[in-house]
Amino acid sequence: MTVSSESKNSLTQLAPLEAVLFDIDGTLCDSDPLHYYAFREMLKEIGFNGGVPITEEFFIETVAGKHNDDIALALFPGDLERGLKFVDDKEDMFRKLAKEQVKPLNGLDKVREWIESRGLKRAAVTNAPRANAELMISLLGLSDFFHAVIIGGECEHAKPHPDPYLKGLEALKASKDHSFVFEDSVSGIKAGVAAGMPVVGLATRNPEHLLMEAKPAFLIKDYADPKLWEALEELDKAGTKKV
């Protein structure tokens, strides 16, 4: 499948490119199955939903890409304190699982090399707690890659609000007119778009029709997807012309 002219143009208009901003979970690595497993097992243990394990659909709708405060409220609407304690405990379990199982998304090394060879600025922007974000970045060997790590919970509003991405641009001293975002969740795509940047959506786990409703520039399967490289090649050409 070729990239539509609209998809290409949504990146070529950024030339010369200054910065690339990445989400972490589901974007740098396929970590959602670990989050799903931790939520499912721990909720089952406390008799949530009458002890019936949550479905993947429930996980996508209620949890994926959302900030922990919002997840706590959704799971324990009458008891935020209990909800916050639960999500903290769940993050402990997730970090233990991640140490054994996290792997980079297919093609991540190739896109990293492309970004580094062009001297672009880069930030990680996530709704995950800082302890998770730093662990994942370290496990993936990206601690020296990112110039900034922005945590949704440390901003005035987390994703889907634009604040985390705007803070990322500010930290990098980059313009939204010369930057784009990689994201895999509806809330993340909405945040990037609201911050005024094109978003390349990764269909890692979340249903494509839901991701498209959030208005990404286009969707890719992973970083090896020919659609991405065709768009980046066009962007390179546009940048060369403008120099």
Side-chain angles (χ1 to χ4, degrees):
M1 190 193 294
T2 58
V3 183
S4 70
S5 58
E6 186 186 343
S7 300
K8 282 184 191 171
N9 291 341
S10 64
L11 294 191
T12 54
Q13 69 191 6
L14 302 174
L17 189 63
E18 287 179 15
V20 184
L21 296 88
F22 291 80
D23 173 48
I24 297 179
D25 281 299
T27 299
L28 296 178
C29 52
D30 184 11
S31 50
D32 269 2
L34 303 184
H35 285 289
Y36 171 51
Y37 176 84
F39 270 110
R40 190 186 69 205
E41 295 308 302
M42 289 180 64
L43 286 169
K44 190 169 69 175
E45 217 171 85
I46 61 168
F48 183 84
N49 192 31
V52 178
I54 61 166
T55 62
E56 204 160 347
E57 289 71 27
F58 177 88
F59 173 80
I60 288 167
E61 194 178 310
T62 314
V63 173
K66 294 184 171 64
H67 186 256
N68 273 352
D69 290 6
D70 299 322
I71 296 167
L73 271 173
L75 295 176
F76 301 93
D79 194 345
L80 180 59
E81 197 178 331
R82 184 186 182 202
L84 293 173
K85 170 77 169 71
F86 177 86
V87 291
D88 277 352
D89 291 345
K90 174 257 149 188
E91 297 301 4
D92 284 339
M93 183 178 183
F94 168 77
R95 286 191 287 271
K96 285 175 189 147
L97 294 167
K99 282 175 186 173
E100 304 296 323
Q101 299 182 50
V102 159
K103 291 178 184 162
L105 216 58
N106 186 36
L108 181 61
D109 282 353
K110 187 180 176 188
V111 88
R112 174 187 180 165
E113 197 177 296
W114 187 89
I115 289 167
E116 287 179 332
S117 67
R118 283 153 185 79
L120 303 174
K121 299 169 182 177
R122 50 265 186 187
V125 181
T126 179
N127 270 354
R130 185 165 287 280
N132 284 28
E134 289 178 351
L135 173 67
M136 308 283 274
I137 288 169
S138 169
L139 291 171
L140 294 165
L142 296 171
S143 298
D144 296 332
F145 175 69
F146 289 112
H147 299 127
V149 178
I150 308 299
I151 306 299
E154 296 171 9
C155 300
E156 193 174 342
H157 300 286
K159 304 175 195 177
H161 291 271
D163 296 16
Y165 277 112
L166 293 173
K167 193 173 175 182
L169 288 170
E170 196 181 321
L172 296 177
K173 295 183 170 55
S175 163
K176 67 178 175 59
D177 299 323
H178 298 284
S179 307
F180 75 90
V181 172
F182 283 114
E183 265 286 0
D184 77 302
S185 72
V186 171
S187 70
I189 294 172
K190 283 181 176 174
V193 170
M197 289 178 282
V199 179
V200 177
L202 285 130
T204 315
R205 293 277 167 184
N206 294 312
E208 291 193 16
H209 70 279
L210 290 181
L211 296 178
M212 286 308 295
E213 284 171 16
K215 302 193 175 0
F218 57 97
L219 292 181
I220 57 174
K221 182 177 174 287
D222 55 33
Y223 297 107
D225 195 317
K227 279 188 284 184
L228 172 63
W229 292 98
E230 192 177 334
L232 293 181
E233 192 180 324
E234 291 293 323
L235 177 54
D236 258 349
K237 283 181 192 165
T240 307
K241 285 174 194 164
K242 289 193 179 189
V243 171

